[in-house]
Amino acid sequence: MTHQPQTTAPLNEPVVPLTEATAAIDGAKHGISKKGLSAGSVGLIGAIVIGISCIAPAYTLTAALGPTVSEVGVQVPAIILVGFIPMLLVAFGYRELNRRMPDSGTSFTWAARAFGPWIGWMAGWGLVAATILVLSNLAGIAVDFLFLLISQVAGDPGIADLAANPFVNVAVCLLFMLGATWISYRDMQTTQKLQYWLVGFQVLVLVVFSVAALIEVANGNAFDATAIDLSWFNPFAVDSFSAFAAGLSLSIFIFWGWDVTLTMNEETRGSEKTPGRAATVTVITIVVLYLLIAVSLIAFAGVGDGEFGLGNPDIQDNVFFHLAGPILGPLAVLVSLAVLTSSASSLQSTFVSPARTLLAMGHYGALPEKFASVSPRFFTPGYATIVSAVVASVFYTVMRFVSENVLWDTITALGMMICFYYGITAFAAVWFFRKVWFRSVRNVVFTLLAPLVGGAILAVLFFTTLIDSMDPDYGSGSSVFGVGLVFVLGMVVLLSGVAIMLWQWWKRPAFFRGETLSRAAAED
């Protein structure tokens, strides 16, 4: 495979294009280098589709809409807009880093280049831990909705209860995981082709669902018709700071996943610009879709606690399922199928990020060399993909039998991990471009202000969640020696990363001495 010109630099030296002959030498000693992935196999549309799939809007919003209404009432659109801001600001930082250093390691590679190997390693750990553990959650959700869909089609509510049987649940979950692993192991064209159908169906159903709700409102058939008002979009109309905090925390979950467009940068046509554009378009597309759904369902059902009101705690765990019947009638089954499709497609596309981050960590000597291996047939990180699947499967199986509270509290704790590695990456953008901040207005906005503000917001959320999660009532209400289980699990994940990092430092000191990936600073 032909190497492309790359951009690398030792510490405090200008970032300059390298020739093909020197790229491999410098890549081995100082900077970024190719890893044998299938270059040019993903286009702009493909990257956007995979980004939307990873976010999983149908699955994410059906669980998030009800609880958000409980916090802020009709101001949900405003909260979505507020939550959208830090994600967009961080996305700008990602885009600038990718323009200068397109590398599949993303957070790991960029943080190592900006801050050195130790912080880079932990940024990579944050991404890998978050995505691998979420893989198990997505597989579990897919199982729940599969049995729910079958029960709807068969007209037998008892079928849905089969998902509560741990043996049945785990067996079907592992089948989902096996299928997703097989597709992810294959070439990116296979992933794209599958995602075009899954994402297309999911988005189409959500749009039809929303438009049908608005039509029912116009026809006077709404459950609790609520007139749409511009104040719904005004963040200053939210009553309390706690609601703002809840909205920002919500954004971490409902927007998380767009960065998968960057981890495919070595496989994307136009690797310097296309991934950043895909990330920006993905985030904007998702916020528009979320606003359409939120406005239409609030207008149809209101925010009260009646039978179908969005404030009813009995329907908040799955809002779409409960409102599908009143809005779509006999076509309601399509909504359950869309949520199942959403979780299943996200399960497959989410494999992209941890596999490519582990590949980069192995490539630069931060993990065993085996992680750097690429499938000679499909040009994908085969070994890293299989390891991700095995770890996620084992984790889900053990936790499902030990305690569902521990399982779901671990997923809650991942919010800290997401803030952790997004925040580090945003600050890495600020520091890497420190020498060129004031070379242009564009640089001031996109390499200084945007990532700095976005990173600061995520840092505040990280420490706020860290402190709040110490309360035993946080999450499931479980505790260890009087300390909230979510806090304990979050610390276990972080400290496990530190322990593994120290082990790798002892086994592979070259990376930690900066011999395989050195620090750098951008200069014109």
Side-chain angles (χ1 to χ4, degrees), residues 243-314:
F244 268 106
L248 291 175
S249 297
L250 174 69
S251 73
I252 300 303
F253 297 100
I254 68 173
F255 290 108
W256 179 54
W258 54 265
D259 54 312
V260 70
T261 61
L262 281 304
T263 61
M264 299 182 294
N265 50 25
E266 292 188 39
E267 299 155 279
T268 304
R269 292 189 290 275
S271 59
E272 292 83 4
K273 296 181 178 180
T274 300
R277 290 171 178 169
T280 304
V281 173
T282 297
V283 174
I284 293 174
T285 301
I286 288 295
V287 76
V288 171
L289 184 61
Y290 283 166
L291 289 173
L292 172 64
I293 297 169
V295 168
S296 62
L297 294 189
I298 292 174
F300 176 87
V303 296
D305 56 4
E307 181 182 5
F308 298 115
L310 296 180
N312 181 356
D314 294 332

Side-chain angles (χ1 to χ4, degrees), residues 359-429:
L359 171 73
M361 294 179 79
H363 178 79
Y364 295 117
L367 285 176
E369 292 181 4
K370 189 69 175 176
F371 284 95
S373 61
V374 172
S375 167
R377 178 181 177 185
F378 298 115
F379 301 103
T380 57
Y383 181 79
T385 299
I386 293 173
V387 169
S388 300
V390 170
V391 172
S393 299
V394 171
F395 171 79
Y396 183 84
T397 300
V398 172
M399 291 298 99
R400 188 65 179 76
F401 280 102
V402 171
S403 170
E404 283 193 67
N405 284 345
V406 176
L407 177 65
W408 304 130
D409 277 347
T410 301
I411 300 304
T412 303
L414 290 180
M416 289 188 283
M417 301 304 300
I418 298 166
C419 290
F420 179 75
Y421 85 84
Y422 270 4
I424 288 178
T425 310
F427 291 134

Side-chain angles (χ1 to χ4, degrees), residues 8 50 57 67 98 116 145 172 180 217 219 228 244 246 271 289 294 296 347 366 388 408 433 461-462 483 503 517:
T8 62
I50 293 173
N98 183 77
F145 275 94
V172 178
V217 173
N219 291 337
I228 299 174
F244 268 106
S271 59
L289 184 61
S296 62
L347 170 64
S388 300
W408 304 130
F433 290 105
L461 283 175
F462 172 78
V483 179
W503 178 39
L517 190 65

Side-chain angles (χ1 to χ4, degrees), residues 110-120 423-432 519-520:
W110 298 335
R113 295 286 273 167
F115 297 128
W118 297 91
I119 295 179
I424 288 178
T425 310
F427 291 134
V430 175
W431 190 244
F432 179 79
R519 293 177 63 185

